[in-house]
Amino acid sequence: MTTEPREGVEITVDGRVVKVDDQGASLLDVLRDQLGITSVKDGCSPQGQCGCCTVLIDGQPRVSCVTPVRRVRGREITTVDGLDTSVADKWAEAFYSTGGSQCGFCTPGIICRFEGLRARGVDHQNRDAAAKALQAHLCRCTGWQTIVDAWSAFGEESHVRPASTSNDSERRAEIEGRSSQLVDPSVALGRGGFADDTAPEDSLIAVRMADDSGWAVAESRSVALREAGKVQGRRTTGEWGSPLEIPPGDWDLTLATTWVEPAYLETDASWCVPGGNPVSPIANGGAFGAKTSSEVGDVARRLADQHGRPVRVIYTREDAVRNGPKRPPMAAGLRRDGSGVIRVAATPGIDDAIHSVLPDVQVDEIEVAGPPTSANVRGAGWAEAVVLSAGLRGEVGWIDSPSGGSAMASVRPDGSIEIEVRCGSHLDEVVLRSYCIGAAHMALSWVTSESLSVDPHGEVHDLTIRSFGVLRAVDTPTITVQIHEDEGPAVNGSDAVFAAVAAAVWLDLGLPSRWPHTL
């Protein structure tokens, strides 16, 4: 770790005066790569749009990824690691006790944002102020509600819960996220063990070339980005809807979906030492099934062997959008008896997923120009079929997922969403509730606001994280979850919630034939 090069910029970081190398680097690059402060995260690469890199600059919350380090010369920088220990512990406990942190990638920046609110004397029962402050951030896991709960719970003894004495919390999180998970107060402080946080200090950095001709390998991330020809992402003003047309026919129900982005916050990352095995890019978060086929591990192994040094391979946000798998778009026309035609982007396993719910439909897999698709993305094919089935019935009812969980959902007149879920032993009700609320938010967002502009030639035009249409905290209604305790073994419940809420929202909107359908 280089903290005192011979020439550079002097700043104060977490109470320590350091001289750091400039070379056109951002404050984020300096904090992570020169000072080794990995609690500051990069989720937008760099667009200043996700809030994961938020720190306090002279006490004011600021995003560090678009802040040149030379602009903060002589100023005081405080990361979540530099907060007073008692304050940091209270925030960690508040997020842990409410389920406000699942993967923990976004929460260090959110805690710094909340510290800015505290410094202004905002009351912790002012949930509206907290939700408004979160407009500078993006969280994909929790559905916002539990994060606002954490704001209200800060420092309240009644919200403190003991650390788990068993593996129940992590078992439930692993069941819901389908990958090994850490559940602990420290996760909210950014210590979940993400792949890019654990790389050796002497690692080279590899970034995909802008023209996809290979990988730029350099000593630092900022240099690798320059050599790769990367520029900040963009949001298009063009509009392209579903790539598939609804099949012609006399149908009782139709639906066309479009491209959507899984929008996991930690972009694909891995590292490997020469002759070793690469670190998994999934880390402390399942990425909703979208990282299972990521190339970064194989690339890290190859480049480490080639250069004879550890190599960190990092996807930028642009890389994740263009190359990461999406749920396959589809267009359906159905009759009341459940027969009909579903056109879907050709995807291995998607036919079986659809037929598991709608056995009498004809599934036409069509080659569609665009980013790769995967049946591993949360509920792909099965969830759409469940929604269509509910539309034919005119009610949601209890929905049984392939993983064994069941859920029912309804939208109340005030727009709030009520959920019931059965998924065996709940193991840890706080964790289960958090995952169910997150699934409900994702489903609501999917039906009403999310889309990704892909032109007829397959080129993705929406490359900023804000352009994906993920619902903000201020736009998310109250979500209540009733958990029914079962005697059976614990099974995944959030996938059933995802499908049930999507069906309930679609029915409440009057079954519009195209998604997204703006609220």
Side-chain angles (χ1 to χ4, degrees):
M1 180 176 67
T2 303
T3 59
E4 293 188 357
R6 285 175 294 178
E7 295 182 1
V9 176
E10 190 172 275
I11 57 178
T12 300
V13 178
D14 294 338
R16 181 168 59 107
V17 177
V18 293
K19 188 175 286 185
V20 296
D21 204 358
D22 183 353
Q23 296 183 341
S26 70
L27 177 58
L28 171 64
D29 289 325
V30 165
L31 293 174
R32 284 188 63 88
D33 293 341
Q34 293 189 40
L35 302 180
I37 302 175
T38 58
S39 62
V40 187
K41 312 294 186 186
D42 173 26
C44 59
S45 307
Q47 299 165 0
Q49 292 193 358
C50 73
C52 297
C53 68
T54 300
V55 297
L56 297 171
I57 300 179
D58 293 338
Q60 299 298 314
R62 296 288 185 269
V63 290
S64 60
C65 69
V66 292
T67 301
V69 70
R70 62 181 178 275
R71 295 272 183 90
V72 295
R73 184 188 303 271
R75 303 179 72 178
E76 185 168 343
I77 315 302
T78 305
T79 72
V80 75
D81 295 339
L83 297 177
D84 182 272
T85 302
S86 64
V87 171
D89 288 347
K90 286 179 181 178
W91 279 123
E93 186 59 48
F95 277 82
Y96 174 69
S97 66
T98 61
S101 182
Q102 287 182 21
C103 76
F105 195 83
C106 68
T107 46
I110 289 173
I111 288 172
C112 286
R113 180 73 56 180
F114 281 174
E115 271 296 287
L117 282 187
R118 270 198 346 118
R120 287 164 41 201
V122 177
D123 189 277
H124 279 275
Q125 299 313 305
N126 189 339
R127 296 175 63 89
D128 289 342
K132 186 176 180 180
L134 291 170
Q135 291 185 89
H137 295 262
L138 183 67
C139 174
R140 192 54 158 168
C141 296
T142 66
W144 299 115
Q145 186 168 299
T146 52
I147 291 177
V148 179
D149 290 342
W151 162 258
S152 298
F154 176 82
E156 294 288 336
E157 292 295 330
S158 60
H159 286 93
V160 175
R161 68 172 180 141
S164 177
T165 56
S166 68
N167 293 324
D168 285 353
S169 300
E170 291 176 1
R171 282 177 57 206
R172 172 52 69 185
E174 182 172 352
I175 289 168
E176 300 303 327
R178 291 190 168 86
S179 68
S180 179
Q181 306 282 293
L182 175 65
V183 179
D184 186 82
S186 64
V187 171
L189 302 177
R191 300 165 190 166
F194 291 96
D196 196 45
D197 293 349
T198 61
E201 292 182 3
D202 63 340
S203 297
L204 294 169
I205 317 296
V207 176
R208 179 190 279 269
M209 297 291 292
D211 61 3
D212 284 339
S213 62
W215 296 82
V217 181
E219 294 285 347
S220 71
R221 178 176 173 276
S222 57
V223 173
L225 287 170
R226 282 202 303 272
E227 292 183 356
K230 294 293 188 184
V231 295
Q232 289 187 3
R234 64 187 182 277
R235 178 174 186 169
T236 182
T237 56
E239 294 185 7
W240 293 277
S242 173
L244 297 168
E245 292 298 324
I246 294 171
D250 185 16
W251 309 119
D252 294 304
L253 187 68
T254 59
L255 175 64
T257 66
T258 189
W259 297 101
V260 294
E261 168 61 31
Y264 48 86
L265 282 185
E266 187 207 23
T267 54
D268 304 40
S270 180
W271 60 269
C272 191
V273 298
N277 292 316
V279 170
S280 170
I282 294 176
N284 196 48
F288 319 109
K291 285 185 183 177
T292 55
S293 58
S294 180
E295 67 176 334
V296 293
D298 290 339
V299 173
R301 178 191 284 119
R302 175 173 59 81
L303 292 177
D305 289 344
Q306 176 182 333
H307 290 274
R309 284 179 58 182
V311 175
R312 292 164 53 198
V313 175
I314 308 169
Y315 262 10
T316 64
R317 178 56 57 184
E318 176 183 335
D319 296 329
V321 179
R322 284 182 165 153
N323 302 299
K326 316 293 182 263
R327 63 184 315 111
M330 61 179 62
L334 299 183
R335 304 180 187 91
R336 189 65 59 191
D337 64 1
S339 63
V341 178
I342 296 180
R343 293 174 169 174
V344 61
T347 307
I350 202 67
D351 181 284
D352 290 341
I354 295 170
H355 278 142
S356 68
V357 179
L358 295 170
D360 297 326
V361 300
Q362 173 185 323
V363 176
D364 294 339
E365 296 195 49
I366 299 173
E367 295 295 333
V368 177
T373 58
S374 172
N376 291 325
V377 176
R378 186 179 220 163
W382 168 80
E384 288 88 341
V386 163
V387 168
L388 288 165
S389 179
L392 291 173
R393 295 193 309 270
E395 63 177 6
V396 179
W398 280 95
I399 288 175
D400 299 325
S401 77
S403 57
S406 301
M408 182 164 56
S410 62
V411 180
R412 310 306 298 166
D414 63 357
S416 63
I417 296 173
E418 294 184 352
I419 299 164
E420 295 181 59
V421 61
R422 294 190 178 103
C423 51
S425 171
H426 60 61
L427 297 176
D428 186 313
E429 190 166 330
V430 171
V431 172
L432 177 56
R433 176 177 174 269
S434 177
Y435 275 87
C436 289
I437 291 173
H441 172 269
M442 181 178 282
L444 174 64
S445 195
W446 176 35
V447 176
T448 64
S449 65
E450 291 189 38
S451 66
L452 186 68
S453 291
V454 180
D455 70 22
H457 303 290
E459 183 180 352
V460 182
H461 289 261
D462 278 337
L463 299 174
T464 68
I465 203 164
R466 288 287 175 182
S467 64
F468 305 153
V470 177
L471 278 180
R472 305 172 303 170
V474 293
D475 300 319
T476 303
T478 300
I479 301 168
T480 59
V481 181
Q482 180 182 354
I483 300 171
H484 295 274
E485 177 74 14
D486 289 341
E487 295 182 356
V491 294
N492 181 288
S494 56
D495 284 355
V497 169
F498 174 72
V501 171
V505 171
W506 192 39
L507 284 163
D508 183 67
L509 292 172
L511 304 176
S513 62
R514 294 190 180 274
W515 291 0
H517 184 83
T518 305
L519 286 170

